[in-house]
Amino acid sequence: MSVMPKIGLMINPYKVLLASILILLFFHDFIFLNMAYALGGQYGLNLWKELISLIFLCLFFCGVLLRGGLGFSEAKIFIVLAMLLLALLVFGDFSEASLRTFRSVFTPFVFAVMVGRLMSNETEQRFRFFLNLLLFIAFLGGGYGLYQSFSIKEWQDFWYYHPLISMDLEIHEYDSFRDGVPRISGFFTSPLDFSFFIVFVFFIGVSSFFVLGERGSASSISKKGKLFLFLILSFLVYIVFQSTVRSAQLCLFTAFGYLLLLLFLKSRIAVVITGGVYVLSLSVATFLYIGLGYTDDLSALGRLEQWGFLLTKIVSNPLGLGFASVGPGQQYWFDSFWLNLMASFGLCSIFFIVGFIFFYFKLVGIYISMRAFRGSYIKSFSLAVLVLMPVFFYGALFQSFYNSPGFYLLLMIVSMVLYGTKASQV
């Protein structure tokens, strides 16, 4: 069975819609920055995600009205979205800066629900198509990143340099070039976002490699397909190590060992404890490594200072610093997803962490319940998400991830597994 998209004459509406969403999402920077540079302005084109989210919510609401009732799953979605809207009134206002921060949290959740519901029918076929398309996108991005590593001699050679300069945005050579080596970013503007996106796709692919390789699997891949998948995954590993993002390299190496452990764990408590120990040990080791002076990297040292600064601020501002003051180009912007969340929501950010842990427990239960069954795409994605969530939790300590492709991808995979599992049980 193929592990790359098949090009055919038949047009399937869901494939067209899903491919359009993923291509626009993961090539967003490259497409819209170059369009803005060529047209001399953005003209609202970069707000396509918000527009699609509003259209989906309108259709979703109309569907509920036509059915004449609100199911339990729909009620939960409305409650979460209503709480996020309420947060805008409590922690922000309707200024442009405040709405920008709100959109960076609200829109990824809507996208996740939209993609999850889209994948809830014909789950095996649609999950396979999603995997193939994702690998294809990562392969293209990785190929372009490889080209950058050999062709770029100065930081002005990066494709995003002139578009960002023309928009009067502040960029630094240190973010694109270090010690004479280009920090490859593919079609993204951020080397961090690019590297973690490749890491996330790798673990989705390698989970499928193990699960779909099981004997007797209804969704097993052929030997040629398995070899092809192995070559693609090897290429993605090479790309990550070609990058200079050490946190992504660390996550790739350590999380692969964690994945191998998951393949042998048979109880929920064992998986949960292993995941917790993985995140805790890696986090403590990183903080000690920086705090005890084993590195003189200013970027790493700055992250530690940011934690101390914000924790002091939260003591005097328990409701946070306000949406309008947090974000790129605003008064406060931290190199940590959790810090930006705390700066935006204050102590209420604990609800996000509790929700994150709750869904991790739920997804552990889904994977354990599917262990007895031979390989399927849903099972492979449920295994992948058990790796991605601890990786994200740790990575978010030192990377912003705000409105990043990796954040969108993680939420989409979580939603796909939840909706796909529910659909398969009907």
Side-chain angles (χ1 to χ4, degrees):
M1 202 168 286
S2 172
V3 295
M4 291 292 285
K6 293 182 179 180
I7 300 175
L9 297 177
M10 296 184 64
I11 298 177
N12 190 311
Y14 94 82
K15 288 185 178 181
V16 173
L17 178 58
L18 185 61
S20 300
I21 290 173
L22 293 186
I23 290 172
L24 285 173
L25 182 62
F26 298 125
F27 291 95
H28 172 89
D29 290 346
F30 187 78
I31 293 173
F32 292 100
L33 281 178
N34 280 309
M35 284 180 65
Y37 183 55
L39 298 174
Q42 294 188 0
Y43 301 105
L45 295 173
N46 61 321
L47 297 177
W48 69 272
K49 289 181 286 190
E50 288 77 3
L51 178 61
I52 289 179
S53 298
L54 288 175
I55 293 173
F56 168 74
L57 289 177
C58 289
L59 293 174
F60 183 60
F61 185 68
C62 290
V64 171
L65 291 178
L66 289 174
R67 286 198 304 270
L70 190 64
F72 182 62
S73 61
E74 287 87 356
K76 289 189 292 185
I77 293 171
F78 274 114
I79 290 172
V80 172
L81 295 179
M83 290 177 65
L84 288 174
L85 287 171
L86 180 62
L88 176 62
L89 301 176
V90 175
F91 303 101
D93 50 43
F94 292 98
S95 65
E96 181 183 354
S98 184
L99 288 173
R100 191 186 305 120
T101 299
F102 171 74
R103 294 199 311 265
S104 66
V105 178
F106 182 81
T107 308
F109 279 98
V110 177
F111 254 73
V113 174
M114 178 174 62
V115 173
R117 293 179 72 88
L118 180 64
M119 304 290 285
S120 60
N121 294 318
E122 302 175 343
T123 51
E124 284 297 291
Q125 296 91 328
R126 298 191 180 192
F127 273 60
R128 181 176 67 243
F129 178 74
F130 186 95
L131 172 65
N132 292 339
L133 186 58
L134 199 60
L135 288 170
F136 181 67
I137 291 172
F139 180 77
L140 286 180
Y144 187 46
L146 187 62
Y147 169 77
Q148 289 175 328
S149 68
F150 290 107
S151 65
I152 290 179
K153 306 303 179 185
E154 299 178 352
W155 72 301
Q156 292 89 344
D157 295 334
F158 278 99
W159 68 265
Y160 54 77
Y161 176 81
H162 293 291
L164 292 180
I165 290 295
S166 69
M167 297 169 62
D168 295 324
L169 294 176
E170 184 180 2
I171 57 176
H172 305 281
E173 181 177 2
Y174 184 74
D175 295 328
S176 303
F177 240 85
R178 291 190 186 176
D179 300 322
V181 178
R183 305 191 75 198
I184 61 175
S185 58
F187 296 103
F188 299 170
T189 57
S190 167
L192 302 175
D193 287 346
F194 170 71
S195 298
F196 271 97
F197 169 72
I198 297 295
V199 168
F200 283 13
V201 175
F202 168 80
F203 281 114
I204 295 170
V206 81
S207 297
S208 299
F209 182 85
F210 284 120
V211 172
L212 300 179
E214 296 174 348
R215 290 185 177 181
S217 168
S219 300
S220 62
I221 57 179
S222 65
K223 290 184 178 179
K224 289 184 179 179
K226 200 170 183 180
L227 175 62
F228 196 44
L229 179 57
F230 176 79
L231 292 175
I232 294 174
L233 295 175
S234 300
F235 174 71
L236 296 183
V237 171
Y238 175 73
I239 293 300
V240 173
F241 281 95
Q242 274 291 108
S243 74
T244 58
V245 181
R246 287 168 296 183
S247 54
Q249 296 168 354
L250 178 64
C251 286
L252 182 72
F253 178 75
T254 57
F256 184 73
Y258 171 59
L259 170 64
L260 294 179
L261 277 176
L262 286 179
L263 295 174
F264 296 97
L265 299 178
K266 297 181 179 181
S267 68
R268 297 186 185 188
I269 189 65
V271 173
V272 170
I273 291 176
T274 304
V277 169
Y278 169 75
V279 173
L280 183 63
S281 58
L282 208 56
S283 302
V284 171
T286 304
F287 276 113
L288 288 176
Y289 177 77
I290 298 173
L292 295 178
Y294 287 103
T295 179
D296 56 359
D297 189 313
L298 295 178
S299 177
L301 294 173
R303 281 164 167 77
L304 203 60
E305 292 176 0
Q306 289 176 8
W307 275 88
F309 172 80
L310 183 64
L311 292 177
T312 303
K313 281 282 187 181
I314 290 298
V315 173
S316 56
N317 301 275
L319 290 180
L321 307 176
F323 281 5
S325 63
V326 181
Q330 304 305 316
Q331 184 179 0
Y332 301 105
W333 181 242
F334 304 98
D335 294 314
S336 166
F337 177 84
W338 300 121
L339 287 183
N340 287 317
L341 207 61
M342 284 191 284
S344 301
F345 293 91
L347 296 179
C348 292
S349 58
I350 190 68
F351 291 111
F352 287 89
I353 299 175
V354 170
F356 189 94
I357 296 173
F358 169 79
F359 278 106
Y360 180 73
F361 272 78
K362 189 175 181 66
L363 290 162
V364 168
I366 289 174
Y367 172 70
I368 293 299
S369 67
M370 300 185 74
R371 276 189 58 88
F373 300 98
R374 289 297 177 182
S376 69
Y377 281 93
I378 298 179
K379 181 180 177 181
S380 70
F381 274 70
S382 67
L383 173 62
V385 80
L386 294 189
V387 179
L388 295 183
M389 291 185 77
V391 167
F392 176 85
F393 196 97
Y394 164 74
L397 294 172
F398 307 101
Q399 312 296 345
S400 67
F401 280 118
Y402 246 38
N403 209 28
S404 72
F407 185 45
Y408 275 89
L409 181 57
L410 174 66
L411 292 182
M412 285 192 293
I413 299 301
V414 170
S415 180
M416 285 169 55
V417 172
L418 293 175
Y419 276 104
T421 305
K422 183 180 178 181
S424 63
Q425 293 173 347
V426 175

